[in-house]
Every structure is written in C-alpha cells, then in structure tokens.
Amino acid sequence: MDIGINCEEGKFKFRVCGILQHNDKYLVVKMNDNPFYCLPGGHVELGEDTNQAVLREMREELGFEVKLEKLVAVNQNFFTGNDGRPFHELGFYYVVSAVDEKNINPNDYAREELDKGKIQHLVFKWATLEELKKLDFRPPFLTRCLENDHVEINVSRD
C-alpha cells in the first residue's frame, strides 16, 4: 500500500526518486500528461524504507536494476495539484547507478509501466545540468544539489 493521503482538504504523498547520470546527462521523465519533467521514482509503500523503495521504483520505471550511491536531498514540497487542491509531498532523492551499464539506453525514449493496474506513459529525456535549468523541471531546487554536490534538506512552495 502506497503511503499517501487523499482527502477533501488536499493530498499527501511520500515519494522517492533516483538520480541517474550517464555521459554528463541526467535522466528525467514526463509522466502521463504532465507538462513538466521530474526524476524517475514513486511512492514509498507502507513498511518499506526509502532505500528499498527507490531500488524498486527505479526497477519498475526503468526496467533494470540500480544500486544506491548516496542520499542528496530530502524535500517537503507544497504545491497546488492539477485538481486545484493543496498538495504536500515528502521526497527523498538518491544518486543511483546502473548495476549493468549495458542496460542504459543513452537516447531519449518512451515506455509504459503497469502500476497497480493502471498504465503509466513515461517519456524519458537525458539532459545536462544546464538544460535542466531551462526545462520545466520539478522540484527545481534539485539542480542546486547536483551543481554543488551536497546534501540538502529543503522546503519548497509554489
């Protein structure tokens, strides 16, 4: 069961994301009809720690195994959801690497994921740090973490 709350007052989700770098570019994704890019990842499940969750989510979304390198950010993100309700997201962001580099597709690509009975349309893009700064990439504070190579605990509001 995903850790999240969906009620009249708003939504909450506990999310993990993986930062995969290859040839000086970072892998980002547009999910379904979202107009913005984010990092691959997803919900933490009840009873699952964030390390397990990011390994599972990356395997599900990318289709191959990754290993954890380090935690680079913890973020509380407050924004307005597509339905106009307040959204509170707690995110853990990890640098990961492919267990087998041969599995990495170095080109932009699309794939579908069956996630709890629903088809998710994923469009992956490789972007340099400078390109990330120009894209609608969320949450944008992550570019600062990648640029400065430091761990950050952050609160962001739209």
Side-chain angles (χ1 to χ4, degrees), residues 101-117:
E101 291 276 324
K102 291 184 295 188
N103 289 322
I104 294 176
N105 181 347
N107 303 306
D108 297 347
Y109 63 98
R111 72 186 299 261
E112 291 182 340
E113 173 194 8
L114 182 60
D115 185 15
K116 294 175 181 57

Side-chain angles (χ1 to χ4, degrees), residues 70-97:
K70 64 181 177 179
L71 176 68
V72 294
V74 176
N75 181 54
Q76 286 190 80
N77 195 11
F78 297 88
F79 57 94
T80 302
N82 293 337
D83 60 4
R85 292 187 295 156
F87 209 113
H88 180 174
E89 177 182 81
L90 176 61
F92 282 63
Y93 300 85
Y94 289 90
V95 172
V96 299
S97 60

Side-chain angles (χ1 to χ4, degrees), residues 25 125-136:
K25 293 185 176 186
K125 176 179 182 55
W126 290 98
T128 65
L129 186 58
E130 290 308 311
E131 290 169 333
L132 282 180
K133 292 176 183 178
K134 295 174 186 169
L135 289 175
D136 186 358

Side-chain angles (χ1 to χ4, degrees), residues 5-12 85-88:
I5 299 168
N6 187 356
C7 60
E8 287 182 31
E9 293 82 12
K11 295 180 183 179
F12 169 81
R85 292 187 295 156
F87 209 113
H88 180 174

Side-chain angles (χ1 to χ4, degrees), residues 4-152:
I5 299 168
N6 187 356
C7 60
E8 287 182 31
E9 293 82 12
K11 295 180 183 179
F12 169 81
K13 74 176 170 180
F14 186 10
R15 180 173 166 77
V16 291
C17 294
I19 301 167
L20 180 64
Q21 187 178 12
H22 183 70
N23 294 335
D24 295 321
K25 293 185 176 186
Y26 297 94
L27 187 62
V28 295
V29 63
K30 272 190 182 182
M31 297 180 183
N32 300 316
D33 295 324
N34 285 343
F36 59 88
Y37 286 94
C38 63
L39 292 170
H43 286 89
V44 177
E45 294 180 355
L46 191 61
E48 183 178 51
D49 67 43
T50 59
N51 293 351
Q52 294 170 318
V54 75
L55 294 174
R56 176 185 52 76
E57 282 291 344
M58 295 298 282
R59 181 179 57 252
E60 290 172 2
E61 289 193 9
L62 303 181
F64 59 86
E65 300 289 328
V66 299
K67 58 186 172 187
L68 294 177
E69 300 294 334
K70 64 181 177 179
L71 176 68
V72 294
V74 176
N75 181 54
Q76 286 190 80
N77 195 11
F78 297 88
F79 57 94
T80 302
N82 293 337
D83 60 4
R85 292 187 295 156
F87 209 113
H88 180 174
E89 177 182 81
L90 176 61
F92 282 63
Y93 300 85
Y94 289 90
V95 172
V96 299
S97 60
V99 169
D100 185 347
E101 291 276 324
K102 291 184 295 188
N103 289 322
I104 294 176
N105 181 347
N107 303 306
D108 297 347
Y109 63 98
R111 72 186 299 261
E112 291 182 340
E113 173 194 8
L114 182 60
D115 185 15
K116 294 175 181 57
K118 289 177 57 180
I119 297 288
Q120 304 292 331
H121 301 280
L122 308 172
V123 177
F124 291 95
K125 176 179 182 55
W126 290 98
T128 65
L129 186 58
E130 290 308 311
E131 290 169 333
L132 282 180
K133 292 176 183 178
K134 295 174 186 169
L135 289 175
D136 186 358
F137 173 66
R138 300 180 190 175
F141 87 92
L142 282 170
T143 57
R144 189 172 60 243
C145 291
L146 298 172
E147 190 170 49
N148 298 324
D149 193 34
H150 69 278
V151 175
E152 185 164 325

